[in-house]
Structures are given as C-alpha cells and as structure tokens.
C-alpha cells in the first residue's frame, strides 16, 4: 500500500467526559444539549437527559456509556458520557479510544477521588488532550484552590508526556449551565467551555483513501434494523450497501453488507450517505457482531488491537430457584433461559465473566464489584427472570510458588471528625491499613486505606449505621497482594421460619422478642426462609405463622392489640451483604427472599454434625 497524505477534519471534534461518580458529568451534558438548541423547549427537557435507563434514574448514577452530538459554530462535537462508578469502569475503558480529548470534572468540595485517578490515567495513556472543569463551586464547603492544587499533583503523577501538564482549567456550576475561567466570573452559559473544546481538542487526523477499518466499541438493538454496531472509523470511508469483512476474536473474516449507516445528532441518529474517518457511526447489517470486533475492507481484513478491560474481582453464583415458591412470579425460570440471558449479557458487558459449574443449573458470574453484580441482578429481575444467588466472594490468584493473593483496593472515606475513631475501628477489623489522613480544617476528615476487596463487602451499610449517615466512601482496585488471613465475622445469627404458611401478628410478635424481623403480617413464608436477624451468634428457628389461641374468656384491650415494630426492609445490596455461605437470596420480579441452602431443620442439623466431625478429623 502506497503512502497516503493525512488530512485534518476541522469540522469535527470527539471528546469524552470523565469523572468520579456524582461529580456532575451528566448534568454538564444536559447543559450542553440544552444550549445547543436541539430542543424546542429546553426547560421541558428535564434533567439527566442521557440517563434514560430506569435504574440510572432511580439510583442517580450513570451505568452505561452513551453518545450524543452537538453543533457549535459549524463544527460537530461528538460527546461520550461515561459512568463514574468504579464498578462500571469497563464501560469507560471500551469507549475512551473513540475520543481525541477529555473533559475531566472534579467536585469543588470532594476534589480528586479514586475513580478520578483511574479514568484520568487511562485517558492520558491513550494520549487524550485534557480539559479540567472544577464543578459545583457553589457548594458551601467548596475548597477551590485546594482542589486545583490536588488536580495539579494528580497530573504530575499520571502524565505520560510533558504536554499533558499544560491544560486549561474552567470553573462551573453544571446544574445551572454556567462556566467561566474564574470562579468569581462565571458566564451564564457554556460558550467558554465549548470554545476551549474547539481550541484544545485536536481535530481528527484522517486517511480517507486508505482501506476501511473500524473497531466496534458499543452495541445497540433496533426491532426493525437488528443489531447496531457503534464505533469510530479509524481510516477510510464507508457507504450503505458496501461489503465489509467482520474480523472476530478468532481472526476469521465474515463478509456482510452494510444495510444502513447512521451518525449521531442530538439525542438520536440520522442516516448518512458516507461515513468518513474520524466520525462516530452506527452500522447495521452484521447480526453476529460483538464488541471488540473489527469491520474492515474485505481485501484488507486487518484487525485492530483488542480493547483492554481489567479483570473482575468478585464472583457469585446464579442458579435456578429451588424455593417452594419457584415459578410463581417469574416468566423465565429454567436453566436454559437463565444461561442464555447470562451469556447474552457478555456481548455488551465486557467486565463480566460467566462460567459453568459442576451443577448444570448453576452458573458462576464474576464482576468488578458489588454494584456491578447487583445491577445485573436487578435488571434481570425486572425482565421477568426468577433465580437464586449466593454470597459474593473475592476472586483470588495462585502464584507460581503456591501462595494465594487477593485483590486490594484503595478506600477513601470522608467523615466528620467525631466519627474518625468509629471509621478506623470498622476498617481495622476488616484488615485495612491507613495510607493517609487529611483534615480540611472545617471539621471533615478524609481517610485513605488499602483494604482487601472482601473487606468492602457489607462495609457501606455498616459505615452509614455507625456514623449516622455522615460518611461517604469510594474505592478503586490497586493490586493483588498476599492473602491477609481471615476477617472477623461481624454478622450475628438469623431468625429462620420453622414451617410454611402466612406470617401472623402473634407469631411475629414472638419473633420480635428474639430479634429484628424482615417481614410483616400476611407475608407468605416457607420452612427455611430467613425472616429476621438474631442478636446472638447462632441461628434461631421461629414459628411466625403461629396464631393466638382462642378461648371463651374475654381478654383485656392491651392483650388484644398486639403492637409490632415495623419490619426492616433490606435493599438488594443489603441482602447480598447479609448472606452467609450456607444461605441464598431468592430473586423474583416481585420479591427478594433470604433463605437457607438446606430448608429442612433436620437437614441443617445433620450438615452441622458432619462439618463438626470433619473438623475433628482434620485436627
């Protein structure tokens, strides 16, 4: 192939917005979309426009990376909105390669957080030109100068080239659509930010005459068009009807014809006649395409490099429900349906791993963290699937010398000064070691720890309880270190139903004398179902279906009116944190039910006896 002169596409910019969770990425995109006049009525467009997923709106976080595009001064700016939570880092890693520059948002009060470091490191490794936006400067506890200094230190640590240390800094209130070059002189619009993007982010350098090549970084689906492959054209051009080769992981090229070609515009897509290098496009006509595949000219089937995704750190099992209530709520409950759904998830969720187990109706599923796995569970539940999951466990590695290593994460906790001792006690019992402690002089302290990933399981709820809700925590994976030994057990025993039936007020009143209950009157239960928590270490069997015996003697009013404490309702994450090795979580479209693996009390007693005998034999 002869040398071809490269050209610059001055009419195009590609930029990714990266930050830690809740630092204002999606709010900034809202402002950009509203001020680019793509809405007839900007006020009616609402907030968090790109977070169209129900779970994203409910939880207030971005889960999936998304594409949008705006026009400014005759130049098209493709914007890639990315998640900020570390558990969805795979979404960030697969789309950053589509951009030439990045907007790094940093909260004016919190400053750089663990995920800020992670995403910035990836962006600088790819050579993206950074623009820093210090957001939420209207917060009462904002410390703008300190945060700017911390950002400069972060760039000194992570910069790959000297040029990356020269970056513009803007200040913003993204929620209000305001930005400026000085915190004391914000403009009532984002034009200064848009001008900076045009000046700093390099225009794509393209090779229109070279053989076509594009790596698929996202997938979508349309009921009429079928599977949609999304990516950035690396070189060459493409038109509808063109024949392309799809190069998969095995290197085999499969030829297909492009049935339609689209580009991004505002919140939607529009069909185009020609896609040029540098542009982000959506292509249909490839029913078997997967993320990471390369679409190329059929005469030059050259695959692009694979997308690097960090390995998962937590695993649990998904199995067919063996509950007495199985099949009552869910539309899909067989092992075939469960397996097909899990393997289908692998096509778009690159951080996930699914593997069979020695049981044909149980699958081992690995992810980047508790939230990553719980979002999958919640999504499948809402789709009508019924299944049961086990307790999350860390994924360990065995070295050549036979030693076992486990994932260790950097944990950052922000809390008021009076709770520093409480936080230190909680984290210390989970094998954490302190790396840093920073007092902002305003009554808040930032504690930084290195903690094994298994120590994070259940820590968030324990931390919020111990600090009365006055703590925030975040983490990022550091490395694998030698196994740190057992972690002290923090959970007490469970209240386990002794028989099936409907929970009655009298039975629940007796149970509440022994512990905390998770269910209310009228709830259907079965033997072996966990109905509450025992303050003592051992499990306690209770009969919540026991009614009050009727006599012909009139009772006093105080005896008739039994007052119950409202049940403690656990969220999905709290249910996963509660589980022990001998317990499972039954998931249905209508309910979460905690249960013992062995439902029968006799079976559990026999299992305990066998375990004790085995332990005595080993000793």
């Amino acid at each position: 192939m002869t040398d071809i002169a490269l050209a610059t596409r001055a009419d195009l910019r590609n930029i990714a917005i990266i930050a830690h969770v809740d630092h204002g990425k999606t709010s900034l995109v809202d402002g950009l979309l509203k001020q680019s006049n793509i809405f007839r009525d900007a006020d009616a467009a609402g907030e968090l426009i790109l977070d169209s997923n129900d779970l994203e709106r409910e939880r207030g976080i971005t889960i999936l990376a998304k594409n949008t595009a705006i026009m400014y001064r005759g130049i098209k700016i493709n914007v890639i909105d990315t998640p900020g939570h570390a558990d969805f880092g795979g979404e960030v890693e697969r789309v950053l390669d589509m951009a030439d520059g990045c907007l790094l948002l940093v909260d004016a009060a919190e400053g750089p957080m663990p995920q800020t470091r992670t995403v910035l490191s990836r962006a600088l490794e790819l050579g993206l030109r950074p623009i820093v936006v210090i957001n939420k400067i209207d917060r009462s506890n904002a410390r703008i100068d300190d945060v700017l200094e911390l950002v400069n230190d972060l760039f000194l640590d992570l910069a790959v080239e000297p040029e990356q240390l020269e970056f513009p800094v803007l200040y913003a209130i993204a929620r209000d659509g305001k930005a400026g070059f000085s915190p004391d002189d914000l403009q009532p619009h984002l034009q200064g930010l848009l001008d900076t993007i045009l000046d700093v982010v390099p225009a794509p350098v393209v090779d229109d005459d070279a053989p076509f090549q594009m790596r698929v970084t996202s997938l979508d689906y349309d009921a009429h068009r079928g599977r949609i492959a999304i990516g950035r054209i690396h070189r060459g051009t493409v038109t509808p009807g063109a024949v392309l080769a799809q190069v998969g992981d095995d290197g085999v090229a499969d030829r297909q014809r492009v049935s339609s070609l689209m580009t991004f515009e505002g919140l939607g897509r529009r069909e185009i006649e020609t896609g040029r290098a540098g542009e982000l496009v959506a292509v249909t006509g490839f029913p078997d395409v997967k993320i990471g595949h390369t679409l190329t000219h059929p005469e030059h089937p050259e695959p692009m490099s694979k997308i690097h995704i960090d390995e998962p750190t937590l695993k649990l099992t998904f199995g067919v429900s063996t509950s007495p209530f199985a099949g009552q709520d869910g539309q899909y409950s067989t092992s075939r349906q469960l397996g097909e759904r899990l393997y289908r998830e692998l096509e778009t969720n690159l951080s996930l791993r699914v593997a069979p187990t020695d049981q044909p109706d149980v699958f081992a599923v690995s992810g980047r963290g508790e939230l990553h796995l719980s979002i999958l569970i919640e999504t499948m539940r809402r789709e009508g699937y019924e299944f049961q999951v086990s307790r999350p466990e860390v994924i360990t590695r065995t070295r050549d010398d036979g030693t076992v290593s486990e994932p260790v994460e950097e944990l950052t906790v922000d809390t008021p000064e009076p709770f520093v001792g409480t936080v230190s006690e909680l984290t210390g019992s989970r094998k954490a070691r302190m790396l840093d402690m920073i007092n902002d002089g305003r009554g808040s302290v930032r504690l930084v720890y290195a903690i094994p990933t298994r120590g994070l399981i259940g820590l968030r709820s324990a931390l919020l309880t111990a600090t009365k809700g006055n703590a925030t925590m975040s983490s990022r994976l550091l490395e694998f270190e030698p196994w740190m030994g057992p972690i002290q057990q923090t959970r007490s025993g469970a209240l386990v139903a002794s028989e099936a039936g409907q929970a009655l007020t009298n039975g629940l009143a007796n149970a509440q004398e022994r512990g905390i209950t998770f269910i209310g009157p009228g709830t259907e239960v079965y033997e072996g179902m966990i109905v509450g928590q025992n303050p003592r270490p051992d499990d306690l069997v209770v009969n919540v279906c026991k009614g009050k015996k009727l006599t012909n003697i009139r009772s006093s009013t105080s005896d008739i009116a039994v007052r119950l404490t409202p049940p403690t309702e656990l969220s999905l994450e709290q249910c996963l944190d509660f589980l022990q090795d001998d317990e499972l979580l039954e998931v249905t479209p209508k309910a979460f039910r905690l249960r013992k693996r062995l439902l029968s009390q006799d079976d559990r007693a026999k299992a305990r006896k066998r375990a004790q005998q085995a332990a005595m034999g080993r000793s």
Side-chain angles (χ1 to χ4, degrees):
M1 189 169 58
T2 58
D3 292 335
I4 301 174
L6 301 178
T8 300
R9 289 197 60 177
D11 63 332
L12 186 64
R13 300 290 189 277
N14 297 318
I15 190 163
I17 300 183
I18 58 176
H20 185 76
V21 65
D22 201 31
H23 279 200
K25 299 178 303 301
T26 306
S27 296
L28 183 62
V29 175
D30 287 351
L32 293 172
L33 289 172
K34 291 177 180 178
Q35 295 183 25
S36 61
N37 300 320
I38 69 168
F39 300 110
R40 185 172 299 175
D41 183 358
D43 294 332
E47 297 179 346
L48 306 179
I49 300 169
L50 286 188
D51 284 349
S52 55
N53 185 300
D54 289 341
L55 276 175
E56 291 179 322
R57 288 193 169 275
E58 289 174 17
R59 294 174 179 254
I61 59 173
T62 300
I63 297 172
L64 302 172
K66 304 175 189 69
N67 299 80
T68 186
I70 59 177
M71 293 297 297
Y72 180 67
R73 295 188 176 177
I75 297 176
K76 181 179 181 180
I77 303 176
N78 283 313
V79 180
I80 306 166
D81 185 24
T82 64
H85 200 285
D87 282 20
F88 307 111
E91 290 287 310
V92 183
E93 292 158 6
R94 68 178 173 82
V95 299
L96 278 185
D97 195 38
M98 293 197 292
D100 297 300
C102 64
L103 284 181
L104 176 69
L105 265 69
V106 182
D107 189 295
E110 294 184 356
M113 297 293 282
Q115 184 66 358
T116 310
R117 171 179 287 270
T118 300
V119 294
L120 179 60
S121 174
R122 292 289 165 83
L124 295 181
E125 287 174 4
L126 292 171
L128 305 190
R129 290 296 302 275
I131 299 172
V132 173
V133 179
I134 298 180
N135 191 28
K136 302 185 181 183
I137 64 170
D138 58 331
R139 291 185 60 171
S140 58
N141 57 343
R143 47 192 186 105
I144 300 172
D145 294 336
D146 293 340
V147 168
L148 179 57
E149 185 175 346
L150 291 172
V151 170
N152 287 325
D153 293 341
L154 186 62
F155 272 85
L156 283 171
D157 287 344
L158 301 179
V160 179
E161 301 173 356
E163 294 79 11
Q164 293 174 335
L165 296 175
E166 300 293 332
F167 52 87
V169 178
L170 288 91
Y171 304 88
I173 307 175
R175 184 191 57 221
D176 298 337
K178 299 178 180 179
F181 294 96
S182 168
D184 301 322
D185 185 25
L186 293 189
Q187 301 300 312
H189 48 69
L190 299 173
Q191 290 184 10
L193 175 59
L194 290 169
D195 288 333
T196 305
I197 291 174
L198 299 187
D199 294 338
V200 174
V201 177
V205 178
V206 301
D207 195 349
D208 284 335
D209 298 325
F212 178 82
Q213 191 180 51
M214 179 186 106
R215 179 169 52 204
V216 179
T217 54
S218 299
L219 291 177
D220 202 351
Y221 184 82
D222 183 87
H224 302 288
R225 302 175 188 268
R227 186 170 295 192
I228 302 173
I230 300 170
R232 172 175 172 164
I233 301 177
H234 178 64
R235 68 186 188 199
T237 59
V238 65
T239 57
V243 175
L244 298 179
Q246 172 190 328
V247 184
D249 298 331
D250 53 4
V252 177
D254 181 24
R255 296 192 179 194
Q256 301 284 348
R257 188 177 299 274
V258 177
S259 57
S260 66
L261 179 67
M262 297 165 284
T263 188
F264 295 92
E265 188 174 273
L267 296 180
R269 307 185 187 105
R270 67 176 178 87
E271 296 203 20
I272 55 176
E273 294 301 320
T274 304
R276 295 179 55 201
E279 181 64 275
L280 309 188
V281 296
V283 178
T284 62
F286 299 85
D288 301 321
V289 70
K290 295 181 180 179
I291 294 176
H293 286 189
T294 304
L295 302 182
T296 70
H297 190 284
E299 303 300 326
H300 301 275
E302 304 167 7
M304 296 182 66
S305 59
K306 291 185 177 181
I307 301 173
H308 171 72
I309 302 292
D310 283 346
E311 293 296 314
T313 57
L314 279 183
K315 63 180 179 181
L316 48 71
T317 61
F318 281 60
V320 173
S321 178
T322 56
S323 158
F325 295 166
Q328 294 184 5
D329 298 342
Q331 184 180 357
Y332 311 106
S333 56
T334 67
S335 60
R336 179 185 60 82
Q337 292 167 334
L338 181 62
E340 287 179 352
R341 177 60 181 85
L342 289 172
Y343 283 109
R344 189 165 69 246
E345 182 72 17
L346 296 178
E347 296 178 358
T348 55
N349 199 336
L350 297 192
S351 301
L352 203 71
R353 302 287 185 272
V354 177
T357 65
D358 53 1
Q359 299 173 280
D361 56 354
V362 178
F363 302 88
V365 180
S366 306
R368 292 277 279 263
E370 261 190 303
L371 184 61
H372 185 206
L373 294 170
S374 68
I375 289 293
L376 173 62
I377 294 171
E378 181 66 27
T379 301
M380 291 177 59
R381 182 179 80 89
R382 297 188 182 197
E383 292 174 358
Y385 286 85
E386 186 174 332
F387 51 93
Q388 60 191 24
V389 298
S390 67
R391 178 189 186 187
E393 300 176 0
V394 296
I395 298 174
T396 58
R397 296 177 181 175
T398 304
R399 300 180 178 178
D400 295 336
D401 58 0
T403 58
V404 176
S405 59
E406 63 176 328
V408 174
E409 305 198 24
E410 178 187 286
L411 170 67
T412 301
V413 180
D414 290 310
T415 189
E417 286 181 356
F419 297 108
V420 170
T422 303
V423 173
S424 298
E425 183 179 355
L426 269 176
T427 53
S429 65
R430 294 167 180 260
K431 302 291 184 180
R433 64 178 186 271
M434 184 176 288
L435 301 178
D436 199 2
M437 181 169 68
I438 305 166
N439 193 318
D440 66 356
R442 302 179 185 179
S444 294
V445 180
R446 172 167 293 179
L447 304 166
V448 184
Y449 300 95
I451 183 171
T453 299
R454 58 196 168 100
L456 294 176
I457 299 175
L459 177 61
R460 186 180 300 275
S461 58
L463 202 62
L464 290 175
T465 301
T467 63
K468 302 177 183 178
N470 291 289
T472 60
M473 59 170 277
S474 58
S475 62
R476 71 180 182 97
L477 181 65
L478 284 177
E479 58 185 348
F480 278 71
E481 294 186 9
W483 183 264
M484 298 184 184
I487 289 179
Q488 178 183 348
Q489 176 64 40
T490 57
R491 203 205 87 178
S492 57
L495 299 180
V496 185
S498 62
E499 63 180 58
Q502 190 177 77
L504 300 177
T505 301
N506 187 66
L508 288 171
N510 292 331
Q512 288 188 350
E513 292 177 358
R514 293 162 173 79
I516 302 168
T517 55
F518 297 155
I519 62 172
T523 304
E524 294 290 337
V525 301
Y526 52 81
E527 182 185 4
M529 179 173 161
I530 297 174
V531 296
Q533 185 171 7
N534 182 17
R536 299 177 181 275
D538 299 326
D539 294 338
L540 181 65
V541 176
V542 294
N543 183 6
V544 293
C545 303
K546 183 179 180 181
K548 184 176 177 62
K549 291 184 178 179
L550 299 178
T551 69
N552 58 357
I553 301 175
R554 179 179 296 177
S555 300
S556 65
T557 305
S558 60
D559 193 29
I560 296 173
V562 178
R563 295 185 178 181
L564 291 177
T565 303
T568 301
E569 297 183 2
L570 302 181
S571 66
L572 172 56
E573 283 82 6
Q574 288 173 325
C575 287
L576 292 174
D577 294 341
F578 185 87
L579 289 175
Q580 295 292 336
D581 292 335
D582 65 336
E583 298 166 353
L584 295 169
L585 173 63
E586 179 189 355
V587 181
T588 78
K590 295 182 180 179
F592 298 117
R593 299 187 189 98
L594 293 162
R595 51 159 289 187
K596 290 293 182 179
R597 285 183 183 267
L598 300 176
L599 298 180
S600 168
Q601 184 178 354
D602 291 339
D603 291 342
R604 294 196 299 274
K606 292 175 183 177
R608 283 196 300 270
K609 187 174 182 179
R610 287 195 298 268
Q612 291 172 356
Q613 291 174 345
M616 292 176 61
R618 287 194 299 269
S619 61

